[in-house]
Each structure stands twice: as structure tokens, then as C-alpha cells.
Coordinates of all heavy atoms in Angstrom, one line a residue:
M5 N -38.0 40.1 0.2 CA -37.7 38.8 -0.3 C -36.3 38.6 -0.5 O -35.6 39.5 -1.1 CB -38.6 38.5 -1.5 CG -38.4 37.2 -2.1 SD -39.3 37.0 -3.7 CE -38.5 35.5 -4.3
V6 N -35.8 37.4 -0.3 CA -34.4 37.0 -0.4 C -34.1 36.7 -2.0 O -34.9 36.0 -2.6 CB -33.9 35.9 0.5 CG1 -32.5 35.6 0.4 CG2 -34.3 36.2 1.8
D7 N -33.1 37.3 -2.4 CA -32.7 37.0 -3.8 C -32.2 35.5 -4.0 O -31.4 35.0 -3.2 CB -31.6 38.0 -4.2 CG -31.2 37.9 -5.7 OD1 -32.0 37.3 -6.4 OD2 -30.2 38.4 -6.1
V8 N -32.7 34.9 -5.0 CA -32.4 33.5 -5.3 C -30.9 33.4 -5.6 O -30.3 32.4 -5.2 CB -33.4 32.9 -6.4 CG1 -32.9 31.4 -6.7 CG2 -34.7 32.9 -5.9
G9 N -30.4 34.3 -6.4 CA -29.0 34.3 -6.8 C -28.1 34.4 -5.5 O -27.1 33.6 -5.5
T10 N -28.5 35.1 -4.6 CA -27.7 35.2 -3.4 C -27.7 33.9 -2.6 O -26.6 33.5 -2.2 CB -28.2 36.4 -2.5 OG1 -28.4 37.6 -3.3 CG2 -27.3 36.7 -1.3
V11 N -28.8 33.4 -2.4 CA -28.9 32.0 -1.8 C -28.1 31.0 -2.5 O -27.3 30.3 -1.8 CB -30.4 31.6 -1.7 CG1 -30.5 30.1 -1.2 CG2 -31.2 32.6 -0.9
Y12 N -28.2 31.0 -3.8 CA -27.4 30.0 -4.6 C -25.9 30.3 -4.4 O -25.1 29.3 -4.1 CB -27.7 30.2 -6.1 CG -26.9 29.3 -7.0 CD1 -27.2 28.0 -7.1 CD2 -25.7 29.9 -7.7 CE1 -26.4 27.2 -8.0 CE2 -25.1 29.1 -8.5 CZ -25.4 27.8 -8.7 OH -24.6 27.0 -9.5
L13 N -25.4 31.5 -4.4 CA -24.0 31.8 -4.2 C -23.6 31.4 -2.8 O -22.5 30.7 -2.6 CB -23.8 33.3 -4.4 CG -23.5 33.8 -5.8 CD1 -23.3 35.2 -5.9 CD2 -22.4 33.1 -6.5
V14 N -24.4 31.7 -1.8 CA -24.0 31.3 -0.4 C -23.9 29.8 -0.2 O -22.9 29.3 0.4 CB -25.0 31.9 0.6 CG1 -24.8 31.4 2.0 CG2 -24.8 33.5 0.6
A15 N -24.9 29.1 -0.8 CA -24.9 27.6 -0.7 C -23.8 27.1 -1.4 O -23.0 26.2 -0.9 CB -26.2 27.1 -1.2
T16 N -23.5 27.5 -2.6 CA -22.4 27.0 -3.3 C -21.1 27.3 -2.7 O -20.2 26.5 -2.6 CB -22.4 27.6 -4.8 OG1 -23.7 27.4 -5.4 CG2 -21.4 26.8 -5.7
G17 N -21.0 28.5 -2.2 CA -19.7 28.9 -1.5 C -19.5 28.1 -0.3 O -18.4 27.7 0.0
A18 N -20.5 27.8 0.5 CA -20.4 27.0 1.7 C -19.9 25.6 1.3 O -19.1 25.1 2.0 CB -21.7 27.0 2.5
L19 N -20.6 25.0 0.3 CA -20.2 23.6 -0.1 C -18.7 23.6 -0.6 O -18.0 22.7 -0.2 CB -21.1 23.2 -1.2 CG -22.5 22.6 -0.8 CD1 -23.3 22.4 -2.0 CD2 -22.4 21.5 0.0
L20 N -18.3 24.7 -1.3 CA -17.0 24.7 -1.8 C -16.0 24.8 -0.6 O -15.0 24.2 -0.6 CB -16.9 25.9 -2.7 CG -15.5 26.0 -3.5 CD1 -15.4 24.9 -4.5 CD2 -15.3 27.3 -4.1
L21 N -16.4 25.6 0.4 CA -15.4 25.7 1.5 C -15.3 24.4 2.2 O -14.2 24.0 2.7 CB -16.0 26.8 2.5 CG -15.7 28.2 2.0 CD1 -16.3 29.3 3.0 CD2 -14.2 28.5 2.0
V22 N -16.5 23.7 2.4 CA -16.4 22.4 3.2 C -15.6 21.4 2.4 O -14.7 20.7 3.0 CB -17.9 21.8 3.3 CG1 -17.8 20.3 3.7 CG2 -18.6 22.7 4.3
A23 N -15.7 21.4 1.0 CA -15.0 20.4 0.2 C -13.5 20.7 0.3 O -12.6 19.9 0.4 CB -15.5 20.5 -1.3
L24 N -13.1 22.1 0.2 CA -11.7 22.5 0.3 C -11.2 22.1 1.6 O -10.0 21.7 1.7 CB -11.6 24.0 0.1 CG -11.6 24.4 -1.4 CD1 -11.6 26.0 -1.4 CD2 -10.4 23.9 -2.1
G25 N -12.0 22.3 2.7 CA -11.5 22.0 4.1 C -11.1 20.5 4.2 O -10.1 20.1 4.8
V26 N -12.1 19.6 3.7 CA -11.9 18.2 3.8 C -10.7 17.8 3.0 O -9.8 17.0 3.4 CB -13.2 17.5 3.5 CG1 -12.9 16.0 3.4 CG2 -14.4 17.8 4.4
G27 N -10.6 18.2 1.7 CA -9.6 17.9 0.8 C -8.2 18.3 1.4 O -7.3 17.6 1.3
A28 N -8.2 19.5 1.9 CA -6.9 20.0 2.5 C -6.5 19.2 3.6 O -5.3 18.9 3.8 CB -7.1 21.5 2.7
R29 N -7.4 18.8 4.4 CA -7.1 18.1 5.7 C -6.5 16.7 5.3 O -5.5 16.2 5.8 CB -8.2 17.9 6.6 CG -8.0 18.1 8.0 CD -9.1 17.9 9.0 NE -10.1 18.9 8.7 CZ -11.3 18.8 9.3 NH1 -11.6 17.9 10.1 NH2 -12.3 19.8 9.1
A30 N -7.2 16.1 4.3 CA -6.6 14.8 3.8 C -5.2 14.9 3.2 O -4.4 14.1 3.5 CB -7.6 14.2 2.8
L31 N -5.0 16.0 2.4 CA -3.7 16.1 1.8 C -2.7 16.4 2.9 O -1.6 15.8 2.8 CB -3.8 17.3 0.9 CG -4.4 17.0 -0.6 CD1 -4.4 18.3 -1.3 CD2 -3.6 16.0 -1.2
V32 N -2.9 17.2 3.8 CA -2.0 17.5 5.0 C -1.7 16.1 5.7 O -0.6 15.9 6.1 CB -2.6 18.5 5.9 CG1 -1.8 18.6 7.2 CG2 -2.5 19.9 5.2
A33 N -2.7 15.3 5.9 CA -2.5 14.0 6.7 C -1.6 13.1 5.9 O -0.7 12.5 6.4 CB -3.9 13.4 6.9
I34 N -1.9 13.1 4.5 CA -1.0 12.2 3.7 C 0.4 12.7 3.7 O 1.4 11.9 3.8 CB -1.6 12.1 2.3 CG1 -2.9 11.4 2.2 CG2 -0.6 11.6 1.3 CD1 -3.7 11.5 0.9
F35 N 0.6 14.0 3.6 CA 1.9 14.6 3.5 C 2.6 14.4 4.9 O 3.8 14.0 4.9 CB 1.8 16.1 3.4 CG 3.0 16.9 3.3 CD1 3.9 16.7 2.2 CD2 3.4 17.7 4.4 CE1 5.1 17.4 2.3 CE2 4.6 18.4 4.4 CZ 5.4 18.3 3.3
R36 N 1.9 14.5 6.1 CA 2.6 14.2 7.3 C 2.9 12.8 7.5 O 4.0 12.5 8.0 CB 1.5 14.6 8.4 CG 1.5 16.1 8.7 CD 1.1 16.4 10.1 NE 0.8 17.8 10.2 CZ -0.4 18.3 10.7 NH1 -1.4 17.5 11.1 NH2 -0.6 19.6 10.9
E37 N 2.1 11.9 7.0 CA 2.4 10.5 7.1 C 3.7 10.1 6.4 O 4.6 9.5 6.9 CB 1.3 9.6 6.6 CG 1.5 8.2 6.4 CD 1.2 7.4 7.7 OE1 0.7 7.9 8.7 OE2 1.7 6.2 7.8
G38 N 3.8 10.6 5.1 CA 5.0 10.4 4.3 C 6.2 11.0 5.0 O 7.3 10.3 5.0
R39 N 6.1 12.2 5.5 CA 7.3 12.8 6.1 C 7.7 12.0 7.3 O 8.8 11.9 7.6 CB 6.9 14.4 6.4 CG 8.1 15.2 6.3 CD 7.8 16.6 6.5 NE 6.8 16.8 7.5 CZ 6.3 18.0 8.0 NH1 6.8 19.0 7.4 NH2 5.5 18.0 8.9
E40 N 6.7 11.6 8.2 CA 7.0 10.9 9.3 C 7.8 9.6 9.0 O 8.7 9.2 9.7 CB 5.7 10.6 10.1 CG 5.8 9.7 11.3 CD 6.5 10.2 12.5 OE1 6.8 11.4 12.5 OE2 6.7 9.5 13.5
R41 N 7.2 8.9 8.0 CA 7.8 7.7 7.6 C 9.3 7.8 7.1 O 10.1 7.0 7.5 CB 7.0 6.9 6.5 CG 5.8 6.3 7.2 CD 5.1 5.3 6.2 NE 4.1 4.6 6.9 CZ 3.9 3.3 6.9 NH1 4.7 2.6 6.2 NH2 3.0 2.7 7.6
S42 N 9.5 8.8 6.2 CA 10.8 9.0 5.8 C 11.8 9.4 6.9 O 13.0 9.0 6.9 CB 10.9 9.9 4.6 OG 10.1 11.1 4.9
R43 N 11.3 10.1 7.9 CA 12.1 10.5 9.1 C 12.5 9.2 9.9 O 13.6 9.0 10.2 CB 11.4 11.4 10.0 CG 12.2 12.0 11.2 CD 11.4 12.7 12.1 NE 10.3 11.9 12.8 CZ 10.6 11.0 13.8 NH1 11.8 10.9 14.2 NH2 9.6 10.3 14.3
R44 N 11.5 8.4 10.2 CA 11.7 7.2 10.9 C 12.7 6.3 10.1 O 13.5 5.5 10.7 CB 10.4 6.4 11.1 CG 9.6 7.0 12.3 CD 8.2 6.4 12.3 NE 8.3 5.0 12.6 CZ 7.2 4.2 12.5 NH1 6.1 4.7 12.1 NH2 7.3 2.9 12.8
R45 N 12.5 6.3 8.8 CA 13.4 5.3 8.0 C 14.8 5.9 8.1 O 15.8 5.1 8.1 CB 12.9 5.4 6.5 CG 13.6 4.3 5.6 CD 12.8 4.1 4.4 NE 13.3 3.0 3.7 CZ 14.1 3.2 2.6 NH1 14.6 4.4 2.4 NH2 14.7 2.1 2.0
R46 N 15.0 7.2 8.0 CA 16.3 7.8 8.0 C 17.0 7.5 9.4 O 18.2 7.2 9.5 CB 16.3 9.3 7.9 CG 16.5 9.8 6.5 CD 17.0 11.3 6.4 NE 16.1 12.1 7.3 CZ 14.9 12.6 6.8 NH1 14.6 12.4 5.7 NH2 14.2 13.4 7.6
E47 N 16.2 7.5 10.4 CA 16.7 7.2 11.8 C 16.9 5.7 12.1 O 17.3 5.4 13.2 CB 15.8 7.9 12.8 CG 16.0 9.4 12.7 CD 15.0 10.1 13.7 OE1 14.3 9.3 14.4 OE2 14.9 11.3 13.7
G48 N 16.5 4.9 11.1 CA 16.8 3.5 11.2 C 15.7 2.8 12.2 O 15.8 1.6 12.5
E49 N 14.6 3.5 12.4 CA 13.5 2.9 13.2 C 12.9 1.8 12.4 O 12.5 0.7 13.0 CB 12.5 4.0 13.6 CG 12.8 4.6 15.0 CD 11.7 5.6 15.4 OE1 10.5 5.1 15.5 OE2 12.0 6.8 15.5
I50 N 12.6 2.1 11.1 CA 12.1 1.0 10.2 C 12.9 0.9 9.0 O 13.6 1.9 8.6 CB 10.6 1.4 9.8 CG1 10.5 2.8 9.2 CG2 9.7 1.2 10.9 CD1 9.3 3.1 8.6
E51 N 13.1 -0.3 8.5 CA 13.9 -0.5 7.4 C 13.2 -0.4 6.0 O 13.8 -0.1 5.0 CB 14.7 -1.9 7.5 CG 15.6 -2.0 8.6 CD 16.2 -3.4 8.7 OE1 15.9 -4.2 7.9 OE2 16.9 -3.6 9.7
R52 N 11.9 -0.6 6.1 CA 11.2 -0.6 4.9 C 9.9 0.4 5.1 O 9.6 0.7 6.1 CB 10.7 -1.9 4.5 CG 11.7 -3.1 4.5 CD 11.0 -4.4 4.6 NE 10.2 -4.5 5.7 CZ 10.5 -4.8 7.0 NH1 11.8 -5.0 7.2 NH2 9.7 -4.9 7.8
Y53 N 9.4 0.8 3.9 CA 8.3 1.6 3.9 C 7.1 0.8 4.3 O 6.1 1.3 4.8 CB 8.1 2.4 2.6 CG 8.9 3.6 2.5 CD1 10.1 3.6 1.7 CD2 8.7 4.7 3.3 CE1 10.9 4.6 1.6 CE2 9.4 5.8 3.2 CZ 10.7 5.8 2.4 OH 11.4 6.8 2.3
T54 N 7.1 -0.5 3.9 CA 5.9 -1.3 4.2 C 6.1 -2.1 5.5 O 7.2 -2.4 5.9 CB 5.7 -2.3 3.0 OG1 4.6 -3.1 3.3 CG2 6.9 -3.2 2.8
E55 N 5.0 -2.4 6.1 CA 5.0 -3.2 7.3 C 4.5 -4.5 7.0 O 4.2 -5.4 8.0 CB 4.3 -2.5 8.4 CG 5.0 -1.3 9.0 CD 4.1 -0.3 9.7 OE1 2.9 -0.5 9.8 OE2 4.6 0.8 10.0
D56 N 4.2 -4.9 5.8 CA 3.7 -6.2 5.4 C 4.7 -7.3 5.7 O 5.8 -7.2 5.2 CB 3.3 -6.1 3.9 CG 2.3 -7.3 3.5 OD1 2.4 -8.4 4.2 OD2 1.6 -7.1 2.6
P57 N 4.3 -8.3 6.4 CA 5.3 -9.3 6.9 C 5.8 -10.1 5.6 O 6.8 -10.9 5.8 CB 4.5 -10.3 7.9 CG 3.2 -9.9 7.6 CD 3.1 -8.5 7.1
V58 N 5.0 -10.2 4.6 CA 5.4 -10.9 3.4 C 6.8 -10.5 2.9 O 7.5 -11.2 2.3 CB 4.4 -10.9 2.3 CG1 4.4 -9.7 1.5 CG2 4.6 -12.1 1.4
Y59 N 7.2 -9.2 3.2 CA 8.4 -8.7 2.6 C 9.6 -9.0 3.6 O 10.7 -8.7 3.3 CB 8.3 -7.2 2.4 CG 7.4 -6.8 1.3 CD1 6.1 -6.4 1.5 CD2 7.9 -7.0 -0.1 CE1 5.4 -6.2 0.4 CE2 7.1 -6.7 -1.1 CZ 5.8 -6.3 -0.9 OH 4.9 -6.0 -1.9
D60 N 9.3 -9.7 4.7 CA 10.3 -10.1 5.6 C 11.0 -11.3 5.2 O 12.1 -11.7 5.6 CB 9.7 -10.4 7.0 CG 9.5 -9.0 7.8 OD1 10.2 -8.1 7.4 OD2 8.6 -9.1 8.7
R61 N 10.3 -12.1 4.2 CA 10.9 -13.3 3.7 C 12.2 -13.1 3.0 O 12.3 -12.2 2.1 CB 9.9 -14.1 2.9 CG 8.7 -14.4 3.6 CD 7.9 -15.5 2.9 NE 7.7 -15.1 1.5 CZ 6.6 -15.5 0.7 NH1 5.7 -16.3 1.2 NH2 6.5 -15.1 -0.5
D62 N 13.2 -13.9 3.4 CA 14.5 -13.9 2.7 C 14.5 -15.0 1.6 O 14.4 -16.2 1.9 CB 15.6 -14.2 3.7 CG 17.0 -14.0 3.1 OD1 17.1 -13.8 1.9 OD2 18.0 -14.3 3.8
P63 N 14.5 -14.6 0.3 CA 14.5 -15.6 -0.7 C 15.7 -16.6 -0.7 O 15.6 -17.7 -1.3 CB 14.6 -14.7 -2.0 CG 14.6 -13.4 -1.6 CD 14.7 -13.2 -0.1
A64 N 16.8 -16.2 -0.1 CA 18.0 -17.1 0.0 C 17.9 -18.1 1.1 O 18.6 -19.0 1.1 CB 19.2 -16.3 0.2
D65 N 16.9 -17.9 2.0 CA 16.8 -18.8 3.2 C 15.8 -19.9 2.9 O 14.6 -19.6 2.7 CB 16.3 -18.0 4.4 CG 16.3 -18.8 5.7 OD1 16.7 -20.0 5.6 OD2 15.9 -18.3 6.7
P66 N 16.2 -21.2 2.8 CA 15.3 -22.2 2.4 C 14.3 -22.6 3.6 O 13.3 -23.1 3.3 CB 16.2 -23.4 2.2 CG 17.4 -23.1 2.8 CD 17.6 -21.7 2.9
E67 N 14.6 -22.1 4.8 CA 13.8 -22.4 5.9 C 12.5 -21.4 5.9 O 11.5 -21.7 6.5 CB 14.5 -22.1 7.3 CG 15.8 -23.0 7.4 CD 15.5 -24.2 8.3 OE1 14.9 -24.0 9.4 OE2 15.8 -25.3 7.9
T68 N 12.7 -20.3 5.3 CA 11.6 -19.4 5.3 C 10.4 -19.9 4.5 O 10.5 -20.6 3.5 CB 12.0 -18.0 4.6 OG1 13.3 -17.7 5.0 CG2 11.1 -16.9 4.9
D69 N 9.2 -19.7 5.1 CA 8.0 -20.2 4.5 C 7.8 -19.7 3.1 O 7.9 -18.5 2.8 CB 6.8 -19.7 5.4 CG 5.5 -20.3 4.9 OD1 5.5 -21.3 4.3 OD2 4.6 -19.6 4.9
G70 N 7.6 -20.6 2.1 CA 7.3 -20.2 0.8 C 8.5 -19.9 -0.1 O 8.3 -19.5 -1.2
A71 N 9.7 -20.0 0.5 CA 10.9 -19.8 -0.3 C 11.2 -20.9 -1.2 O 10.8 -22.0 -1.0 CB 12.0 -19.5 0.7
G72 N 12.1 -20.5 -2.2 CA 12.5 -21.6 -3.2 C 11.5 -21.7 -4.3 O 10.3 -21.4 -4.1
P73 N 11.9 -22.1 -5.4 CA 11.0 -22.2 -6.5 C 10.0 -23.4 -6.3 O 10.3 -24.4 -5.7 CB 11.9 -22.6 -7.8 CG 13.1 -23.2 -7.2 CD 13.2 -22.5 -5.8
S74 N 8.8 -23.1 -6.7 CA 7.7 -24.1 -6.4 C 7.3 -24.6 -7.8 O 7.1 -24.0 -8.8 CB 6.5 -23.4 -5.7 OG 6.1 -22.2 -6.3
T75 N 7.0 -26.0 -7.7 CA 6.6 -26.7 -9.0 C 5.1 -26.8 -9.0 O 4.5 -27.2 -8.0 CB 7.3 -28.1 -8.9 OG1 8.6 -28.0 -8.7 CG2 7.1 -28.8 -10.3
C76 N 4.6 -26.6 -10.1 CA 3.1 -26.6 -10.2 C 2.7 -28.0 -10.2 O 3.1 -28.9 -10.9 CB 2.7 -26.0 -11.6 SG 1.0 -26.0 -11.9
P77 N 1.6 -28.2 -9.2 CA 1.0 -29.6 -9.2 C 0.3 -30.0 -10.4 O 0.0 -31.1 -10.7 CB 0.1 -29.5 -8.0 CG -0.2 -28.0 -7.9 CD 0.9 -27.3 -8.4
Q78 N -0.1 -29.0 -11.2 CA -1.0 -29.3 -12.3 C -0.2 -29.7 -13.6 O -0.3 -30.7 -14.3 CB -1.9 -28.1 -12.7 CG -3.0 -28.0 -11.7 CD -3.9 -29.2 -11.7 OE1 -4.3 -29.7 -12.8 NE2 -4.4 -29.6 -10.5
C79 N 0.8 -28.7 -13.9 CA 1.6 -28.9 -15.2 C 3.1 -29.1 -15.0 O 3.7 -29.4 -15.9 CB 1.3 -27.7 -16.2 SG 2.1 -26.2 -15.5
G80 N 3.5 -29.0 -13.8 CA 5.0 -29.2 -13.5 C 5.8 -28.1 -13.8 O 7.1 -28.3 -13.7
A81 N 5.3 -26.9 -14.1 CA 6.2 -25.8 -14.5 C 6.8 -25.2 -13.1 O 6.1 -25.2 -12.1 CB 5.4 -24.7 -15.2
E82 N 8.0 -24.7 -13.3 CA 8.7 -24.2 -12.1 C 8.2 -22.7 -12.1 O 8.2 -22.0 -13.0 CB 10.2 -24.2 -12.3 CG 10.8 -25.5 -12.0 CD 11.9 -25.4 -10.9 OE1 12.6 -24.4 -11.0 OE2 12.0 -26.3 -10.1
N83 N 7.8 -22.3 -10.8 CA 7.5 -20.9 -10.6 C 8.3 -20.2 -9.5 O 8.8 -20.9 -8.6 CB 6.0 -20.9 -10.3 CG 5.1 -21.2 -11.3 OD1 4.7 -20.4 -12.2 ND2 4.7 -22.5 -11.4
A84 N 8.4 -18.9 -9.6 CA 9.2 -18.2 -8.5 C 8.5 -18.4 -7.1 O 7.3 -18.6 -7.1 CB 9.3 -16.8 -8.8
A85 N 9.2 -18.3 -6.0 CA 8.6 -18.6 -4.7 C 7.4 -17.7 -4.4 O 6.6 -18.2 -3.7 CB 9.7 -18.4 -3.7
E86 N 7.5 -16.5 -4.8 CA 6.4 -15.5 -4.5 C 5.2 -15.7 -5.3 O 4.2 -15.0 -5.0 CB 7.0 -14.1 -4.5 CG 7.3 -13.6 -5.9 CD 8.9 -13.9 -6.1 OE1 9.4 -14.8 -5.6 OE2 9.4 -13.2 -7.0
F87 N 5.2 -16.6 -6.3 CA 4.1 -16.7 -7.2 C 3.0 -17.5 -6.4 O 3.3 -18.4 -5.7 CB 4.4 -17.5 -8.4 CG 5.1 -16.6 -9.4 CD1 5.7 -15.5 -9.1 CD2 5.3 -17.1 -10.8 CE1 6.4 -14.6 -10.1 CE2 5.9 -16.3 -11.7 CZ 6.4 -15.1 -11.4
V88 N 1.8 -17.0 -6.5 CA 0.6 -17.6 -5.9 C 0.0 -18.6 -6.9 O -0.5 -19.7 -6.6 CB -0.4 -16.6 -5.4 CG1 -1.6 -17.4 -4.8 CG2 0.3 -15.7 -4.3
Y89 N 0.0 -18.2 -8.2 CA -0.6 -19.0 -9.3 C 0.4 -19.3 -10.3 O 1.4 -18.6 -10.4 CB -1.8 -18.2 -9.9 CG -2.9 -17.9 -8.9 CD1 -3.0 -16.7 -8.3 CD2 -3.8 -18.9 -8.7 CE1 -4.0 -16.4 -7.5 CE2 -4.9 -18.6 -7.8 CZ -5.0 -17.4 -7.2 OH -6.0 -17.0 -6.4
C90 N 0.3 -20.5 -10.9 CA 1.2 -21.0 -11.8 C 1.3 -20.0 -13.1 O 0.3 -19.5 -13.5 CB 0.9 -22.3 -12.4 SG 1.9 -22.9 -13.6
R91 N 2.5 -19.7 -13.6 CA 2.7 -18.8 -14.7 C 2.3 -19.5 -15.9 O 2.0 -18.7 -16.9 CB 4.1 -18.2 -14.8 CG 5.1 -19.3 -15.0 CD 6.5 -18.7 -14.9 NE 7.5 -19.8 -14.9 CZ 8.0 -20.4 -15.9 NH1 7.6 -20.1 -17.1 NH2 8.9 -21.4 -15.8
E92 N 2.2 -20.7 -16.0 CA 1.9 -21.5 -17.2 C 0.4 -21.8 -17.3 O -0.3 -21.5 -18.3 CB 2.6 -22.8 -17.3 CG 4.1 -22.7 -17.5 CD 4.5 -22.1 -18.8 OE1 3.7 -22.3 -19.9 OE2 5.6 -21.5 -18.9
C93 N -0.2 -22.3 -16.3 CA -1.6 -22.7 -16.3 C -2.5 -22.1 -15.4 O -3.7 -22.3 -15.3 CB -1.7 -24.3 -16.1 SG -1.3 -24.8 -14.4
A94 N -2.0 -21.2 -14.5 CA -2.7 -20.3 -13.6 C -3.5 -21.0 -12.5 O -4.4 -20.6 -11.9 CB -3.7 -19.4 -14.4
S95 N -3.0 -22.3 -12.2 CA -3.6 -23.0 -11.1 C -2.9 -22.6 -9.8 O -1.7 -22.3 -9.8 CB -3.5 -24.5 -11.3 OG -2.2 -24.9 -11.5
P96 N -3.6 -22.6 -8.7 CA -3.0 -22.2 -7.4 C -1.9 -23.1 -7.0 O -2.0 -24.4 -7.1 CB -4.2 -22.2 -6.4 CG -5.3 -23.0 -7.1 CD -5.1 -22.9 -8.5
L97 N -0.8 -22.5 -6.5 CA 0.4 -23.3 -6.2 C 0.4 -23.7 -4.8 O 1.2 -24.7 -4.4 CB 1.7 -22.4 -6.5 CG 1.9 -22.1 -7.9 CD1 3.0 -21.1 -8.0 CD2 2.2 -23.3 -8.7
G98 N -0.4 -23.3 -3.8 CA -0.4 -23.7 -2.5 C 0.8 -23.1 -1.7 O 1.7 -22.5 -2.3
P99 N 0.8 -23.2 -0.3 CA 1.7 -22.5 0.5 C 3.2 -22.9 0.3 O 4.1 -22.0 0.3 CB 1.3 -22.9 1.9 CG 0.5 -24.1 1.7 CD -0.2 -23.9 0.4
N100 N 3.4 -24.2 0.0 CA 4.9 -24.6 -0.2 C 5.1 -25.3 -1.5 O 6.1 -26.0 -1.6 CB 5.2 -25.5 1.0 CG 5.5 -24.8 2.3 OD1 6.1 -23.7 2.3 ND2 4.9 -25.3 3.4
G101 N 4.1 -25.1 -2.4 CA 4.3 -25.6 -3.8 C 4.6 -27.1 -3.8 O 5.4 -27.6 -4.5
Ligands
ZN19 ZN1 0.9 -25.0 -13.9

């Protein structure tokens, strides 16, 4: 008859190994991604760490969509261009305020 303690140890050990393998692979992937990005940034391939287009907006350029302070349609408070909701009354500001 097989010892229950041995079965328990083998099962627990196998689960632990699987968890370690998955966790280590995820950590290595995150580490590689970060290293790759900092290398590309150093070589000038990308200027920013983010690829989100919202960060392409130049706050000094009035032609840029959403730039310039926006006035709240509800209470008339001035909000920064990047604000989506009014800082005074929290109503939505709309695309061009
Ligand atoms: Zn408001």
C-alpha cells in the first residue's frame, strides 16, 4: 500500500514546482519587456515608455484636440485641458469643453 504522506508530499511538490515555473516565467517576461523598452528608448526608437496616443498631445498647441483650458458647461469653472470631468461639480466636460 502506498503511504498517504508520500502521496501528499509528491502532489504538493508537483504543485509547487508548477507554480514556481509559471511565476518565474512571468517574472522573466516582465523583466525582458522592461529591458527591451529601456534599450529601445536609449537608442531613440521610442521617446516615451507609453504608446498611448493621448500623451502625443502638445498642451501648447491650440490645434491639438482637447488642448487649452475647458470651461464647464454646468458651473462655468475653468478646468485643465486633460480633465474629463469638472473639478468643481464633476459633470462631464466633453471633447472640446
Ligand atoms: Zn462644473
